Amino acid sequence: KKISPPDVARWTAEMSAARVFHELIADTDFNMTNLLITKDWRVWLIDFSRAFRLTKSLREPKNLTRVDRKLLANLRGLTLEGLQQRLGRWVNKPQIEAVLARRDLMVKFFDDEITAKGEATVLYDLARTSEPCGLGLE
């Protein structure tokens, strides 16, 4: 429909976070039909049926332009044990090891970007909400 979001900065921040997440989980089918957008332009990611691939490399590193500070801190804190505990019902150990390998590449990438370009260019603070998941979707 070629409609512009009312808050371009927030939209850009949410889409940057979505791209980081999709690189992390190696989603081979990330596209605009896998997003739900609320009336107030909040982004909800859906359909991860082609994610958690075993590749230990980044698919589209060019999509990693900026990262939310809290997201980067949380990436740094991921562990095999923690992910197995939280995701073990749905994904196996090799898939989790691949997530961690991609995480390592992403953290190094962002650290290098911060060194080269400065924190103000690479890091941002994504506004968060305590609303229940899916609120605002119809």
Side-chain angles (χ1 to χ4, degrees), residues 19-132:
R19 288 182 188 96
V20 169
F21 180 70
H22 281 281
E23 276 300 317
L24 178 67
I25 65 171
D27 187 349
T28 59
D29 189 36
F30 178 48
N31 60 72
M32 294 304 281
T33 65
N34 292 340
L35 298 174
L36 298 177
I37 303 167
T38 64
K39 289 180 181 180
D40 65 346
W41 285 83
R42 296 217 32 245
V43 175
W44 295 95
L45 305 176
I46 62 169
D47 186 3
F48 303 105
S49 58
R50 295 184 186 159
F52 295 99
R53 303 300 188 186
L54 296 177
T55 181
K56 293 185 177 180
S57 61
L58 299 176
R59 288 182 31 92
E60 299 287 341
K62 70 178 185 278
N63 288 333
L64 302 176
T65 56
R66 299 178 69 218
V67 66
D68 169 62
R69 289 176 202 280
K70 188 171 182 177
L71 176 55
L72 183 58
N74 287 339
L75 287 173
R76 292 182 198 284
L78 293 177
T79 64
L80 177 64
E81 298 76 24
L83 288 174
Q84 283 182 310
Q85 184 177 36
R86 307 250 344 226
L87 302 176
R89 292 177 46 195
W90 302 285
V91 295
N92 60 38
K93 186 176 179 182
Q95 289 171 307
I96 292 171
E97 290 170 341
V99 165
L100 290 171
R102 291 188 299 272
R103 181 276 314 262
D104 291 345
L105 293 172
M106 293 168 69
V107 167
K108 181 182 180 336
F109 173 83
F110 284 121
D111 285 345
D112 291 347
E113 288 288 285
I114 291 166
T115 299
K117 298 177 182 176
E119 285 190 9
T121 302
V122 179
L123 300 177
Y124 65 92
D125 295 302
L126 182 62
R128 289 180 164 68
T129 181
S130 60
E131 295 171 352

